[in-house]
Every structure is written in C-alpha cells, then in structure tokens.
Amino acid sequence: MSEALLSIQDVAVELPTPRGTLRAVDHVDLSLEAGRTLGIVGESGCGKTMLSRAILQLLPKKAKLSGRVMFAGQDLVRLAPERLRRLRGRDLAVVFQDPMTSLNPVLTIGTQLIETIQEHLELDALAAKRRSIELLTAVGIPAPEQRLAQYPHQCSGGMRQRIAIAIALSCEPKLLIADEPTTALDVTIQAQILDLLAREQRRRHMAMIIITHDLGVVAGRTDEVAVMYAGRVVERAPTPALFKRMHMPYTEALLAAIPKLETAPHTPLPAISGRPPDPTRPVPGCSFAPRCRYAAGRCHQAKPELVAGETAGHVYACFHPIQMAEGVGA
Amino acid sequence: MTQAVAHVPSGEPLLKVDDLVVEYGFGNRTVHAVSGVSLEVARGETLGLVGESGCGKSTLGRAVLQLRRAQSGSVLFDGHDLTAMQGEALRKMRQRVQLIFQDPIASLNPRRRIGDIVAEPLIIAGVKDPAQRKQVVYEVLSAVGLDPDLVVGRLPHEFSGGQCQRICIARALVLNPEFIVCDEPVSALDVSIRAQILNLLEEMKARFGLTLLFIAHDLAVVKAVSDRVAVMYLGRLCEVAPSEQLFARPAHPYTALLLQAIPVPDPDVRPAESVATGEPPSPIAPPSGCRFRTRCPRADQRCSAEMPELREVAPGQFAACHHPLA
Amino acid sequence: MATLELSLPEEVEQPVRRRRRLGFLFWFAICWIVIVFVLAIFAPILPLQNPVDMDMLERRAWFSSEHWLGTDGLGRDELARLVYGARVSLTVGLCAPMIGLVAGGALGLLAGYFRGRFETLVVGSMDVLLAFPPLIFALAVVAYLGQSIPNLTFILGFLGIPAFMRVSRAATLTLARREFVIAAEALGASHARILLRELLPNVLLPLFAFFLLGVAVTIVVEGSLSFLGLGVPPPMASWGSMIGEGRESLDVTPRLAFLPAVAMFVTVLAFNLVGDTLRAITDPRQGAL
Ligand SMILES: Nc1ncnc2c1ncn2[C@@H]1O[C@H](COP(=O)(O)OP(=O)(O)OP(=O)(O)O)[C@@H](O)[C@H]1O
Ligand SMILES: Nc1ncnc2c1ncn2[C@@H]1O[C@H](COP(=O)(O)OP(=O)(O)OP(=O)(O)O)[C@@H](O)[C@H]1O
Ligand code: SF4
Ligand code: SF4
Ligand SMILES: [Mg+2]
Ligand SMILES: [Mg+2]
C-alpha cells in the first residue's frame, strides 16, 4: 500500500446554533491514495458538505474543528493561512453542487478561468488564454473561444457545471472534491458530467472525492465508498464489496429506496421511514436505531464502533450486521 | 395538421390535450416551449412525462391548468374546453385540477401558518364554516402523515423539504380534486425522502381516486408510479407507451438514450461512456425536421427534411421517428 | 425486502422557543420613543407653560425652577416649546410617510403584480415626480395653499410616494414569480386575494422597515423646511423651526439650537434602530437551520 495522499484522522466539526451545539461531523477517519476515487454517500444534512469543507479548511467562522487533515504530508489544520490559500486551488480543488452560485455572475467565463490560471500557474495572459481554451475543449464545450466572452447566465446548467470543472482542473490539482456535482442537473447531463469527471481523473491521475446522496451515482465510478449517517461514517468498503456484501442496515435501506427499472410500476418503494435524528440532540445508542428494522437491545444503549468486515478495507458500525448472500443485489 | 394521438386503452379520457402550442415572447425572439403536443389521460390513470431540463414539461403542465395561456390547441378536461374558459368558470374548474411543484419550500408562503395554507383552497371554494374547514384540514394532514396538532400553527421554514412536500400534497388534496399535475415533485428531495413521497402519492391516488400527470426527468422515478409514459424532447412528444413496454422495448432513439443515462446502483454495470452526448439545442431556433436529429445516432437526410409524426409502432406504443428501434 | 411503513406518521419535533436578546440599545430606543410620544400627546394637560407666551424680561434666561430649560430669544419657555415642537415633528413625521406607505405601497404592489402597461405608467409617472425639484414643489404648494401643518404633511408625503413604490414593487416582483403565488392562482384565487393574502404580508415587512426610515428622514426634512421658513407658521414651534430661530443667537446661547437638535437626533436614531431590529427579528427565515 502506498502512502495516502489524504488522510483524515478523528475529524470532528461542531457548530454552535441557537438550539445547542450541532455536531455536524462526528470523529471521522478516511484516507485516499493518489489516482483513486472515494464516494461519500448519505442523506441530506448528514454532514457530507461539512466534512468536505473541513478538508478544505473552509468551515464557517464559528465552527470548531478538531482532528488532523493530512494532505501530502502536511497537516492542513495547522497550516499557515497563506500556505493554505496557495494549496487550495493549486493542489486541492472543489466543484460545488450549484454551478450558478459558485461562478461569479458579473465576470465573463474567460475572466474567471484566465485569472485562476494566472494566479496559480504564473503564466502570461496569452498562455493562460490558450490553456483556458484547451481546458474548455477537454470538458466538452463546443466553440470554447466564443464561450470565454460569455457570462454564466448565458450557459445552461450542464454547461456551467462543465465550466466549474474546467476551473477546478485548471491548475492540475492532486485532489478534486466534487460536492454533489450533479444533483442540480437532469439524468442525461448527470451521466455526461460523471463521465467527464471520471475521464479527467484517470487522465490526470488525480485523487477524487465524489459526494452524493444517490448510491447509483457512485456504483460504477468509485474505488471506495463511505456511507455517512448523522455525522459519522457508518460503513466504508471497496465499492464492489459494499454493494455485494454490505453489513450496515442503513446502506441496505438507502440502496433499496432507489427506484429500479426492473420493478413493475406501482410497486411500493421500500422507503426509510422517518428522518435522521436532530443533530443537536444526539441519541445515546446507534443513531440509526429509531429507523432501523433490525434494531434490538444494545442498539438503543451503546454506540457501535467501526469493526472490520471480511474483505480487506471493509469496516462497518453495527451490532447486528446483515449477511448478504454473494451476488444478491438489494 | 393531423397527428395521431396516443390513445388510452379504454374509456373516455379525463384530460385530452390537442395540438397544444405554447410560446414565450423573449425580446423579439420566440421560445418554442411546447410545439404541437397531443395526449390523453384516462380517468384513474397516471401518465408520466419525462424529458430533459428545458424541454417544456412545466410549460405543458401549466398550460393544462391555464396558468400559461396556449397560443393554439385545446385542453379538454372532462369534456370542457379549458382554453376557452375565463374568469369565474375557470376558477371553478381549477378546483378540480391541482398542481404540485418541484420546490416544496418555495411553494409555501413563508409568512402564513400551515393551517391557513392548507385551508386556503377551502376558503377560495367558499367553505364558510371554520369548524368544517378545520375538520377537513385535519383529515388531509393526517392522511399525508403529519400530526395536525403539531403542524397547523407553524410556519413553513420550520419544516424539512420532505415535510413541506407533504404539506403541498395536503393542500392539493383538500378540495378533493380529480386531477393533479405533479411537476417534478421529488426532484429536489434526496433518495430516502423521495421514496417516501412517491409512496405517499401512490397511496393518495388510490385513496382519493386521483388521475395524475407526473412530470420528472428521471425515467426510473417515472416508471415507479406511471401506467403510461410520454417522453418529451424540445417541445414535442417523442414516444408514448405503457411503462413496461417503453422500458422493455423503447422505440425512439431518445428514449433509449434516457434509459442509458440512469445511474445503476450496481458496481458491475460499468456506465456506458458518452452515451449521452451533447445537449438539447435552443428552443428559440429548434432544428428542422426531427428536433432530436442533432444528437441522434440514426439521423439521416430524411430526418432533417421531414418532421416525424407520432404513429403507432406497436400496439399501444406510439413513436415520432422515421427510423424507430426494432 | 424492507417493510413498508407508509402510514407511520412523520414525526415533527416540538418547536424550540428561544428568547432573543434584543440588547440595551433597542430598549433604550423604545423607551425614548414612548417618552416622546407620551409628552407630545399629553402636552396640553401637562403642567407646562404656554409655548407662545412671551416674557420679554426673561429673554434667553438660563435654567431655573420656573423655566426648567430656560427661555428662548423671545422669552418663551424652552421646555414647553420642545414638547409642543415634538407634537408637530411627530405628527408630520408619522403622517407624511403614512401617505407614502399607503399610496406608494399600493401602487408598487399593483405594478409589480400586474406588470404590463400599468407598470410602465406607474414607473414612468414616478420618474417624472422624482425629476421635479422637491424644493420648488414645496414652495409652489406653500405659495398656493398657505403654510400649515396639513399642507406640510401633504408635501412631504407626496414626495415620499416614489420611494415607497420602488420598495414595494421590487419586493413584489421577486415574490410574484415564486411558486406559492402560482399555487394560489392554480387554486382559483382571485387577484385581490392573491394580492392581499399572499403578497401583502410578505411585502409589508420591508415596507414597514422602510416606513420607520421614512419617519426619521421626514423629521429631518421637516426640520430643514422649517429652518428655511417653509415649515410650520410662526409662532408655532417645531424642532426644525426652533433650530432655525436658535441659529440667530448661536454665539450667545448655543443651547437654543442645540437642545432641539439633540431631541431630533436621538428620536431619528431611535426610529432607525427600532426599524432595523424589527426587520431582523421578524424575518421568518431567521433561526432556520
Ligand atoms: N452554516 C451552518 N451553521 C449551522 N449549521 C449548519 C451550517 N451549515 C450546515 N449546518 C448543519 O450541519 C449539518 C450538516 O450539514 P451538511 O451541509 O454537511 O449536510 P450535507 O450532508 O452536505 O447535506 P446536503 O445533502 O443537504 O448537502 C446539518 O444538520 C446542517 O443543518
Ligand atoms: N417565463 C418564461 N419566459 C421565457 N422563456 C421561458 C419562460 N419559462 C420557461 N421558458 C423557456 O421555455 C422552455 C421550456 O421551459 P420549461 O420550464 O417548461 O421546461 P421544463 O421541461 O419544465 O424544464 P425543467 O426540467 O428545468 O423544469 C425553456 O427553454 C425555458 O427556458
Ligand atoms: S446497530 Fe442496531 S440500530 Fe444500528 S444499524 Fe445496526 S442493527 Fe440497526
Ligand atoms: S426521426 Fe431521425 S433523427 Fe429523429 S429520432 Fe428518428 S432517427 Fe433520430
Ligand atoms: Mg451538502
Ligand atoms: Mg420544470
């Protein structure tokens, strides 16, 4: 096993709110090697965005962060702001869910792209422009030269997300974090954007984190998947192992809730009842217990710790793990 | 222009849209949002409507409710032509047809209490007795799985997206409508809540005997609830067929493309790379002939010269394509 | 596979009621406004001297038990004039923006909702109104109708209409495109109902905050007009006219201009403060997670 590019150790994020302290990320450990892809999956509000922001050191000011975020041998939590700023954008890049809000509406696409390149790569204006055109071509934008003069609102949602990806890729980052890059887009465009990300990731040998709430999105496109629930990673495994031998009832339920093409119309979907617990009111036992159909006894009193499964690299946090027969899908 | 209409297997249709054209003036240009769509929805049926963003699904949905007036064509609801209706008559009719939106939070007035929001349709419909209103409101709120006592006095921002969507469904149900247009009711929700809302819609449909026009951009979601599915591309219908048939044997190349784009939650299914190339052209200047030809792998001369009409390619399955898939 | 738990009611947690700390300044502002109002309303029954009674022997007298705040250049009781001045300043300060609020607010709401030719007409006529020099308008009205408090209120109120119209139209424009308005329309609600039940409650708050700002501005403008001699007819007192009169003896008795100026300053500040705080706490999105 090679040295991990990114290694998150015991990271916790707490936010003070009027309702009390909100633990958005609850002692998470993760690691990722260069050239590999990690999927982070979980319901809305489970702390996916906060975790990615903790990696980037872009948390809200009032947030309290603990733990270590080791990136290429240095602890980002303790890095000087100036060094951190140079690192972001250059080695660490991010693509957000809503491309409309992450692009500046009053600047042309060219200005935003060229400025980023100039700032981080120290190229002259002409070289930066050439590079912008290359990048726009790479992300599949027709007539890139004309696009440079346009404003974000003149592009469709899919176009804007491509441009955001071009900006993120502009400085050859070592790690790209894509926070729900396709949630705001429709299925065909989603497929295109995911293909684009996968292609660029392989070509550049980047490490990539894809955050999503849809297990279908990560299935064919990641090496490893971490399932988050209520701020904690509850199951983590190499992608094939996770889908074939999942142990966590939550993972099973998430997978089952996706409508499948094979099932006949009007078949009721196995929905997860209820909602995730209020993050300002931590429950004593397993946080999934109120919604879990396997919950019994211990589940309501003690927090299950992550334990190793049979496949290398598979960990899960559950007292009553489900045992799936080999090859049987949800 | 005569166009084949995807006929409903049996019975008189509750909704019949005939050659509907809706355009938006946009400076001195025209957005051809809906260009000659004809469809029928039978009583008690759910018709799914899928298509990419901007293809005119919402416009069609709103034109059915006369929230956007059509340039031409007609919308027959239970035999009455809604496009010819005005004022009071239309207002009465609207109480039989309801709408649910994509963004559940934006479709609730942030300054009104849930109880008032859900009672509003009753007030508009002229239910004068507050006790009677309260009883109906409590009934529908319980029906959509919310505790009325806890909910009525609160403001929309105190609820999650899924709960707001339940409230929207309650508001749509309170007048006991016959027909509901669901405009991407689950697109803004995440997977687990989406399943809850889809199940709820199905349950409500059975319980209140509803007929639905269900709009979405995800075929898998549409299939879960629809009896028949209509596929739309750039303002025109491509294919209309019973759900099972459409998914088993898509006839239109665009339907096939949409099917391939669905993310499959199985790591062994390697996503087919670049099946979905390109984006829809602008509805301001749609391509000549078949509107899909700029992205269609089967396009030829005829496709750019001649506009394909919807025709029956298999029993009950209609496609608008010169070279339908086998 | 998994069980269906459809009929399970969605749990809704009890709302957390929390007290907001409004801060010392807010309460100070409220107290000040209440005191000024009470004094102004009950001025005639308070044991005050007559504000227009001149005592030529006691001109510019210093604070005494008889004249708590001394007397002005004509020997009139300064405290009485301040209190009666508050009556004028507050009457004009509240009534004038009220005209703007009602007329401008309604016009903006209708223009933003109906759009089209009506909107063009409203916006166009407001632009014309804004282009007309306000001082000349005030002079013309005073010249034709005479100098009186109702006329002054009318002038200031009329001049405020365009600003209120803009605030209300801008708020309406963004709201009218929101789905909840379309939802009401789909329910068969009439225009009047949509305007009153859906739009008005949402537009009212920015308008009210703007109203409080308008009160503050009007008090100052009334002061300036009175200072220029276009305001209340003498010998009636308003804070503005008192500052104007005090200016003549600024070198000898600066307090004659200073006292009404302080009263005006603190009142204006208090209205602004209350306006800002109210806007902040009544925003329904505040406190949402
Ligand atoms: N600025 C903030 N201040 C206080 N709490 C916040 C803030 N941002 C997020 N939270 C809370 O932190 C928790 C985790 O939020 P986060 O945005 O990480 O969720 P997420 O998994 O990204 O969800 P989504 O799928 O909706 O993006 C949530 O409970 C959220 O309400
Ligand atoms: N008010 C409007 N003025 C001008 N053009 C409009 C207006 N509303 C919609 N359009 C255009 O009409 C076309 C169809 O829009 P519509 O909202 O019906 O699409 P949709 O299929 O519902 O898309 P989505 O999935 O994004 O909701 C789009 O090209 C859109 O830009
Ligand atoms: S620990 Fe218990 S409650 Fe938690 S997921 Fe496992 S079985 Fe369910
Ligand atoms: S008509 Fe031609 S271009 Fe259109 S879908 Fe069929 S084959 Fe493709
Ligand atoms: Mg997020
Ligand atoms: Mg739409």
Side-chain angles (χ1 to χ4, degrees), chain C residues 212-283:
Chain C
L212 289 179
L213 200 75
V215 172
V217 170
T218 312
I219 292 177
V220 173
V221 171
E222 182 273 332
S224 321
L225 283 180
S226 300
F227 181 87
L228 290 175
L230 290 173
V232 293
M236 206 187 269
S238 90
W239 289 344
S241 65
M242 287 170 72
I243 299 174
E245 288 159 9
R247 183 182 53 152
E248 290 152 18
S249 55
L250 214 52
D251 43 351
V252 210
T253 38
R255 70 188 150 85
L256 290 187
F258 191 65
L259 281 175
V262 167
M264 190 192 290
F265 174 77
V266 178
T267 309
V268 166
L269 199 67
F271 271 108
N272 277 333
L273 231 144
V274 172
D276 281 346
T277 316
L278 282 186
R279 193 181 46 218
I281 59 167
T282 43
D283 188 344

Side-chain angles (χ1 to χ4, degrees), chain A residues 175-236:
Chain A
L175 171 65
L176 177 70
I177 300 178
D179 187 358
E180 310 212 25
T182 57
T183 306
L185 306 174
D186 60 25
V187 252
T188 46
I189 310 299
Q190 160 166 300
Q192 294 175 16
I193 295 290
L194 292 174
D195 285 346
L196 166 68
L197 283 172
R199 196 173 65 231
E200 293 302 314
Q201 184 260 335
R202 275 199 304 276
R203 210 161 68 76
R204 292 158 199 268
H205 200 66
M206 297 186 292
M208 184 158 79
I209 297 179
I210 296 183
I211 296 174
T212 171
H213 64 251
D214 187 348
L215 271 171
V217 166
V218 297
R221 296 181 164 97
T222 53
D223 300 305
E224 206 185 359
V225 177
V227 180
M228 276 185 85
Y229 188 73
R232 284 160 54 100
V233 169
V234 292
E235 182 159 22
R236 192 177 80 231

Side-chain angles (χ1 to χ4, degrees), chain A residues 43-44 156 159 186-188 190 192 195 213 216 219-221 243-244 255 259 261 263-266 268-269 272 274-275, chain B residues 52-53 160 190-192 196 199 202 217 223-227 244 247 257 263-265 267-268 270-271 274 276 278-279:
Chain A
E43 275 170 282
S44 186
S156 68
M159 265 324 163
D186 60 25
V187 252
T188 46
Q190 160 166 300
Q192 294 175 16
D195 285 346
H213 64 251
R221 296 181 164 97
F243 282 90
K244 294 225 169 63
L255 191 59
L261 278 181
T263 43
H266 305 301
L269 286 162
I272 316 176
R275 289 199 296 146
Chain B
E52 280 164 291
S53 184
S160 68
D190 66 7
V191 179
S192 59
Q196 291 177 6
N199 287 342
E202 287 277 273
H217 63 245
K223 189 187 177 191
V225 296
S226 307
D227 302 298
E244 293 279 22
F247 293 91
L257 183 148
V264 186
D268 294 337
R270 280 277 152 195
S274 59
E279 289 189 37

